[in-house]
Amino acid sequence: MTERSAPPLVAHVLYSFRIGGLENGVVNLINRMPIGRYRHVVIALSDCDSDFMKRVTRPDVEFISLHKPPGHGFKLFGSMYRLLRKLNPAIVHTRNLAALEMTLPAWLARVPVRIHGEHGWDTSDPGGVSRKYRLLRKLHSPFVTQYIALSAQLSSYLTQGVGIAAARVTRICNGVDVTRFSARAARAALPDAPANFLSGDGLLFGTVGRLQAVKDQLNLVRAFAVWRAAGSAAAVAARLVLVGDGPLRPELEAEVATAGLSDVVCLAGARDDVPAIMAALDCFVLPSQAEGISNTLLEAMACGLPVIATRVGGNCELVVDGETGWLVPPEDPRALADAMSNMANDPVRRQQMSHAARARAVTQFSLEAMVDRYLALYDQTLARTAVAGADMNSRT
């Protein structure tokens, strides 16, 4: 009896493996893929966070940190080439611009399939307008076998803005675990809430995400201040919680203090109990300047939360304006304040949006459907590469 060969290895290459929406998507994909189909290794150009690694429940996944020095990624080309020759993966799956250049050493190492995922634009180019970044993507395109775009906007960006052939771009939206993130019968208590933070029947608005400029939590704090300044009973009773950590935290703390909101705005820091946080909210807000397909937005919808999100990127594909929530212009505190006021003052509409958001998450954005699409793409690209290799061998 011949020994059964091991499943093909997928090398997931990211800039870092820490708390974040992109990284959490990798965790979900690895955990949900059947063990007998593919093996996985995670390669971080910078580093892998030991606590975040624990979210991967499969015992056979290796995590490798390359500790990239500041500057261009070519400094890692030699290390990446040697690593890939040693690991011998069937697929290298890079994500976002920071990891795209690793497709070159993957090509040199003769990795059969090089897949690149576009999850959202760089923080220094939130609108995807940079000619430099478009050119970089174009220059690396010969080394990419297939692209994955998480939203229709990113797909158009690749085909129309970068010039990638449409046949080389596959759109796969993020999925959400609708069992882990589920609707609650009544609002739960906010875990570890500051003393006297919650107030009677006032609504609790919240957001979850890394505290950085592109996520624009400053816009949310300013909108909350604008709404409270109007002096309505609903505004005075409302509270706001910001979950996450990052470079924007000092500026947010200063903004909260300057606006006199220290008693009604809670900066909860990075948390690993997001489902419990969601269960305590009445409305989820995503104030980003740019987005791909937001994992936290999907999680909020799966929890049956009406949402307010900026009209950018993939948000427009997830939120049905007026049905599952409200879409508002980015960087517009007054428009965001008006949406929060409307949400607070119309409990019937809010309840309808709650049911519609949960139904949309369950029927259109399940984690199982996402995993099936990735499996199909991995299988198809490997099969095409094998056929192409066989044809080339037959001609020589």
Side-chain angles (χ1 to χ4, degrees), residues 60-281:
D60 61 338
V61 179
E62 184 179 4
F63 300 90
I64 300 172
S65 300
L66 297 182
H67 304 291
K68 177 184 176 296
H72 196 279
F74 74 82
K75 298 175 183 178
L76 285 181
F77 279 7
S79 299
M80 180 64 73
Y81 170 83
R82 290 187 292 272
L83 177 60
L84 294 177
R85 291 294 290 173
K86 175 184 175 182
L87 294 173
N88 193 30
I91 298 172
V92 161
H93 187 161
T94 56
R95 289 169 171 85
N96 275 0
L97 185 62
L100 173 62
E101 55 197 349
M102 293 302 129
T103 56
L104 173 55
W107 176 78
L108 290 171
R110 299 182 181 180
V111 178
V113 172
R114 286 91 51 198
I115 292 175
H116 180 68
E118 289 285 351
H119 291 241
W121 292 304
D122 190 85
T123 54
S124 61
D125 182 32
V129 298
S130 169
R131 294 180 62 185
K132 172 186 174 183
Y133 292 156
R134 292 186 184 209
L135 178 60
L136 282 172
R137 288 177 167 92
K138 183 68 174 178
L139 290 174
H140 285 88
S141 64
F143 312 117
V144 178
T145 309
Q146 190 73 18
Y147 291 85
I148 295 174
L150 264 68
S151 69
Q153 185 181 47
L154 288 168
S155 179
S156 296
Y157 170 78
L158 287 172
T159 56
Q160 300 175 23
V162 180
I164 307 300
R168 297 179 63 201
V169 180
T170 302
R171 181 169 163 248
I172 303 178
C173 282
N174 283 341
V176 60
D177 186 342
V178 296
T179 301
R180 180 170 181 245
F181 293 90
S182 57
R184 77 277 197 267
R187 188 174 78 180
L190 179 66
D192 303 320
N196 304 318
F197 174 68
L198 297 179
S199 173
D201 296 329
L203 294 194
L204 179 58
F205 292 81
T207 190
V208 178
R210 181 164 169 77
L211 305 184
Q212 58 184 356
V214 72
K215 296 298 183 181
D216 208 5
Q217 290 92 349
L218 275 171
N219 179 38
L220 176 53
V221 171
R222 288 165 182 161
F224 196 65
V226 168
W227 182 32
R228 283 183 61 85
S232 70
V236 171
R239 298 292 185 266
L240 174 64
V241 59
L242 310 178
V243 178
D245 210 345
L248 199 64
R249 185 177 182 109
E251 194 172 348
L252 280 165
E253 290 174 338
E255 185 74 24
V256 169
T258 300
L261 299 175
S262 298
D263 293 335
V264 295
V265 176
C266 172
L267 274 70
R271 303 287 291 261
D272 57 7
D273 58 346
V274 174
I277 297 287
M278 294 286 192
L281 301 181

Side-chain angles (χ1 to χ4, degrees), residues 21 24-25 28 150 171-183 208 274 278 284-286 291-307 309 314-320 324 354 356-367 370 373:
N24 200 55
N28 288 334
L150 264 68
R171 181 169 163 248
I172 303 178
C173 282
N174 283 341
V176 60
D177 186 342
V178 296
T179 301
R180 180 170 181 245
F181 293 90
S182 57
V208 178
V274 174
M278 294 286 192
F284 182 82
V285 187
L286 191 67
E291 279 290 347
I293 294 293
S294 168
N295 282 303
T296 53
L297 187 50
L298 283 172
E299 290 164 0
M301 291 169 59
C303 288
L305 288 176
V307 300
N315 293 352
C316 306
E317 297 177 52
L318 302 185
V319 180
V320 181
T324 64
S354 169
R358 168 70 182 178
R360 183 166 172 78
V362 170
T363 59
Q364 299 193 34
F365 299 102
S366 73
L367 198 55
M370 180 200 78
R373 293 185 186 109

Side-chain angles (χ1 to χ4, degrees), residues 20-33:
L22 183 157
E23 294 81 0
N24 200 55
V26 176
V27 170
N28 288 334
L29 182 62
I30 292 174
N31 285 342
R32 292 300 184 108
M33 275 199 172

